[in-house]
Amino acid sequence: ERALDVLQLAAPVAEKGNVNVVSDAATAMNLAHSALLSAIVNVDINLNAIKDESFVGEWGARRDALMAEADLAYAVARRTCATTLGLSL
């Protein structure tokens, strides 16, 4: 969830920051996205080992919602960083 927070901050920083700050926002965006994807691997491994279907369903839904938010935040941040920097990311 903290990685999602970082992803959601990257676009406003990229939109309002100078070019030097925007490159930092792009780096933070990529690191946060990688951290989130790595954490999801661990969540999936743990969910596969749990027998309580209700628990697995609840946390699987939370994982899916988090990933949907993260995918959107990453796309927006990436587009904003690329536009501000004038680069293809």
Side-chain angles (χ1 to χ4, degrees), residues 1-16 25 28-30 32-33 36 65-78 80:
E1 292 172 339
R2 299 299 70 89
L4 176 58
D5 294 341
V6 173
L7 280 172
Q8 291 171 330
L9 288 172
V13 169
E15 187 174 39
K16 296 178 174 84
M29 167 198 73
N30 285 313
H33 190 245
L36 193 135
L66 180 71
M67 282 307 302
E69 282 187 77
D71 288 345
L72 177 61
Y74 181 73
V76 169
R78 186 176 168 144
T80 305

Side-chain angles (χ1 to χ4, degrees), residues 27-56:
T27 299
M29 167 198 73
N30 285 313
L31 290 171
H33 190 245
S34 295
L36 193 135
L37 293 175
S38 298
I40 292 300
V41 170
N42 286 322
V43 168
D44 288 343
I45 288 168
N46 290 327
L47 287 177
N48 283 336
I50 296 172
K51 304 296 182 223
D52 182 338
E53 291 179 20
S54 176
F55 181 90
V56 170

